[in-house]
Amino acid sequence: MSRFAPVALTVTSALLVLTACGGGVEGTPGGSGLRDPYFPKAGNGGYDVTHYALDLAYAPDDRRLSGTADITARATQDLSALNLDLLGMDVERVTVEGERARWSRNGQELVVRPRDDLDEGETFRLTVRYSGTPETLTDPDGSEEGWLPGSGGALALGEPTGSMAWFPGNHHPSDKAAYDIAITVPEGLKAVSNGELTHRGTRDGRTTFRWHTGEPMAGYLAMLAIGEYDLRRSTVATEADGELPVLTAVAPAQADASRAVLDRLPEVMEWAEDNFGPYPFSSTGAVVAPESAAEYALETQNRPVFPGAPGTELFVHELAHQWFGNSVTPKSWRDMWLNEGFATYAEWLWQEDADGDSAQETFDALYDHGEDEHEDLWSFPPAEPTSAAHISGAPVYQRGAMVLHKIRQAVGDDTFHEIVQGWAADHRHGNADTEDFTAYVEGKAPDADLSAVWEDWLYGEGKPDRP
Ligand code: TRP
Ligand code: ZN
């Protein structure tokens, strides 16, 4: 994440320019998508973002969001133009390296043409000034995300593509970056985001909250919660880092209902570290929003969002995502089962440890009644959802967890534990796909026969035979 290209690279590109026939090397446009198999327009080619500095203001009365996105990125090719994803909003000005750049818009693509080409390897700063009423998106599966306005506030949630409704960026999970998010709201309201609260100040009737996310974060995990929240700070003891900051934001109407589960945060953190290894981020917590704020919970980084007070198992699920999804992030939306299978299996393990059903019992019940799930478990394999409308389906969650249970049966509890922890450690703060995972498991359990697990459970059509 260095801000400047190394000197050696600058010299090399200067030499290239000198030796190219007739003068300058022509850059080419960076590409409007990353060919994600499910969301082909998501993300953009030709550069890699290292840091987002968002400086935003929101007025809930007229639902207007305005501000600047200051993006630091590294060119991965010679670039004559590059795309950002931004849906809706009015762009007012774009600069690259401080110079005005031409830009145009086409659907979710904001195409930027810098005055001078950017050279491969060059680190550059791109600033977009924008404003407008951010949009609520409807996903292929019918759920709403993006900007969700509510009474007196708003919630910004971004899985899988909603982050492009509130800031321009490279909105694909494969391009993770650090973030500094400043958000100014009318005095009396709170504005909560990811990471740590580094500053809070009130001036002229408006309060600014500054949030810092140092560890890499995928855009879909960026979050804003604006409204009447009760903010509380505490600390929790962790394995690796000693005392870790905890920040919870609770809508007042949810205070009573959420007290018991939030009081268990230290216990759930300790359980999760025992099972998954050291917590990967520098703060933790939760946002308990009004029930009407969203239709689902989301594992937003550091601080999952719950619409209303969560039960313990949902809390465990979203915390488990901090390892599986947020630290180890899918390379593409095809690999969703690596998020949801693990987070669902975490619930099974929690139940097992809490003297509830064993994971085997949960597995057996699903095996017997899988066709009755809200989406038939045997309708598609976890590793290959039928379409973008199915990446949040039961075969991804429950059957994904069944894949993990089949691995556990094949390798035994001790090796399974090593695999779960090792997977999180090996790909910490990175990206991984299904093939990385199967190769990893095989490397850890060279003597186990896993071929049927992969062929029948992970990639196979239909209901696998009971072994
Ligand atoms: N990831 C969320 C969870 O399991 C659920 C979710 C919300 C989701 N939006 C999504 C899953 C879009 C897939 C795609 O807690
Ligand atoms: Zn989940």
Side-chain angles (χ1 to χ4, degrees), residues 119-369:
D119 297 329
E120 180 177 347
E122 180 181 348
T123 293
F124 60 93
R125 267 179 84 167
L126 189 157
T127 304
V128 180
R129 162 126 212 120
Y130 63 106
S131 64
T133 304
E135 292 181 13
T136 306
L137 279 67
T138 303
D139 289 343
D141 76 0
S143 54
E144 294 195 329
E145 55 149 348
W147 196 263
L148 307 170
S151 51
L155 188 60
L157 298 180
E159 190 177 25
T161 61
S163 44
M164 66 181 170
W166 61 281
F167 66 98
N170 199 19
H171 291 302
H172 188 265
S174 59
D175 190 0
K176 303 208 276 189
Y179 283 70
D180 281 279
I181 300 178
I183 167 83
T184 300
V185 294
E187 186 176 359
L189 296 184
K190 307 288 183 354
V192 182
S193 189
N194 312 90
E196 293 86 59
L197 181 62
T198 58
H199 169 87
R200 170 182 172 161
T202 300
R203 221 174 61 190
D204 302 331
R206 300 198 308 165
T207 307
T208 300
F209 296 82
R210 291 182 187 280
W211 296 89
H212 173 69
T213 296
E215 294 95 11
M217 177 165 79
Y220 78 93
L221 298 166
M223 167 273 289
L224 275 183
I226 297 167
E228 282 178 31
Y229 284 99
D230 183 14
L231 291 190
R232 291 198 182 197
R233 290 205 247 196
S234 58
T235 58
V236 61
T238 59
E239 220 170 73
D241 292 326
E243 296 288 303
L244 192 76
V246 180
L247 193 135
T248 59
V250 178
Q254 299 300 324
D256 290 343
S258 53
R259 192 161 296 124
V261 66
L262 294 181
D263 282 349
R264 294 185 78 177
L265 186 143
E267 181 195 343
V268 179
M269 283 284 291
E270 192 185 343
W271 177 88
E273 286 201 312
D274 285 348
N275 280 275
F276 313 138
Y279 180 74
F281 300 112
S282 49
S283 65
T284 183
V287 175
V288 183
E291 248 170 61
S292 58
E295 304 153 334
Y296 50 81
L298 191 64
E299 65 268 26
T300 45
Q301 195 148 305
N302 308 92
R303 195 158 293 114
V305 170
F306 302 95
T312 313
E313 275 159 31
L314 181 60
F315 193 79
V316 167
H317 179 110
E318 305 307 341
L319 188 72
H321 272 308
Q322 304 302 315
W323 285 259
F324 307 107
N326 301 10
S327 169
V328 184
T329 305
K331 280 183 185 165
S332 89
W333 290 110
R334 194 210 305 267
D335 308 307
M336 265 309 270
W337 82 277
L338 288 172
N339 287 12
E340 302 304 344
F342 268 103
T344 302
Y345 201 68
E347 295 178 58
W348 300 9
L349 290 173
W350 172 268
Q351 276 165 21
E352 182 168 283
D353 287 350
D355 292 327
D357 288 351
S358 66
Q360 184 65 49
E361 287 168 327
T362 308
F363 178 96
D364 290 342
L366 278 170
Y367 187 84
D368 291 339
H369 302 288

